[in-house]
Amino acid sequence: MVAKGIERRVATGDADAYNVRYGFEFLLRKVSTLTSQDMMSPEEGENLVPKMSHSVTVTRTTTTSSATAIILNTGILKTPSGILKFFETVIGGICLGLIAYYSVYNKIFTGDPEHTLFFIVTFAFLVTTFLMLISSLLSLMAATILPKTLFEFLYHIFAFVFYISASLALLTTLTNRYYRGHYYEGKMAAAVLGIVNAVLYLLSAFFSFRTYRIG
């Protein structure tokens, strides 16, 4: 009896020691787990957190603006063709103003056929030359392509022929003695300037033909 009581107490003591040891090991594992989670990086910590699927909608607004800029091709005025067109326009305007001013009487154009021919010739070629000059100033393509065409060469040839014919006809008419009056000087100046403009158109024809041949 005494021996059995002693054995039961020993067994009970071993069980208590086992329980204490197991409880202590459990606490150590718990502390180790908590410590390892605290030392974990943010990226590893995020992996432990369950992720929720979500969608993001991005709206882009694109605003376009357009502006039109006018660029003057002033370089055309440094070329022989541009310089000649400029002076042809200026002299043509002076010729037209002189013949119009000195041929109008009581607001009516009163002149011989030579005066009318000179007026029509100066007006027609003044407008055309001015338009060609403006086109070359406002458009680089026009300034590049137009001198290479046959049109410009033929235009200057016709301008020379008509200008020299109208100017010589007016000059011949003015040399008659009955025209030497109050308007003689103004009309004579118009005829002389017309001859000068005819020479300029002849020079333009030469440069146009050379550019046309080069292509």
Side-chain angles (χ1 to χ4, degrees):
M1 295 291 291
V2 175
K4 291 182 178 179
I6 293 171
E7 291 176 357
R8 188 177 295 123
R9 284 195 299 271
V10 172
T12 302
D14 293 341
D16 293 339
Y18 177 79
N19 290 334
V20 170
R21 180 180 179 185
Y22 179 78
F24 183 73
E25 290 179 354
F26 177 79
L27 289 176
L28 287 178
R29 284 198 296 269
K30 201 71 175 176
V31 171
S32 176
T33 302
L34 293 175
T35 305
S36 62
Q37 289 182 356
D38 292 339
M39 297 177 63
M40 196 176 298
S41 62
E43 291 78 6
E44 295 175 345
E46 290 177 357
N47 294 329
L48 298 175
V49 180
K51 296 183 179 180
M52 299 178 62
S53 62
H54 61 280
S55 60
V56 179
T57 303
V58 180
T59 304
R60 293 183 178 180
T61 303
T62 304
T63 304
T64 59
S65 60
S66 59
T68 303
I70 298 177
I71 301 176
L72 293 178
N73 180 27
T74 56
I76 191 65
L77 297 178
K78 299 178 182 180
T79 62
S81 177
I83 295 173
L84 288 171
K85 283 186 178 67
F86 176 77
F87 283 106
E88 287 163 1
T89 303
V90 173
I91 295 177
I94 295 174
C95 290
L96 182 63
L98 288 174
I99 196 65
Y101 179 79
Y102 289 108
S103 297
V104 173
Y105 181 74
N106 290 332
K107 298 182 180 181
I108 299 175
F109 186 85
T110 57
D112 293 338
E114 294 80 9
H115 297 75
T116 305
L117 175 63
F118 188 83
F119 178 85
I120 294 174
V121 168
T122 53
F123 177 78
F125 288 104
L126 170 64
V127 172
T128 309
T129 306
F130 177 73
L131 290 177
M132 293 173 65
L133 179 62
I134 290 297
S135 299
S136 299
L137 282 173
L138 298 180
S139 174
L140 184 60
M141 182 177 296
T144 304
I145 297 177
L146 193 60
K148 298 179 181 180
T149 60
L150 185 62
F151 164 76
E152 185 161 333
F153 168 69
L154 294 177
Y155 168 76
H156 290 128
I157 288 293
F158 274 86
F160 165 73
V161 172
F162 277 94
Y163 246 108
I164 197 68
S165 301
S167 300
L168 290 177
L170 180 61
L171 189 63
T172 303
T173 303
L174 292 174
T175 54
N176 295 330
R177 56 184 179 181
Y178 63 88
Y179 270 107
R180 294 181 180 274
H182 178 67
Y183 299 141
Y184 172 79
E185 290 81 7
K187 293 180 180 180
M188 181 62 73
V192 173
L193 288 176
I195 295 175
V196 173
N197 222 16
V199 174
L200 294 180
Y201 277 109
L202 182 62
L203 291 175
S204 294
F206 169 75
F207 286 110
S208 299
F209 181 75
R210 189 175 67 175
T211 306
Y212 171 71
R213 288 295 299 272
I214 296 175

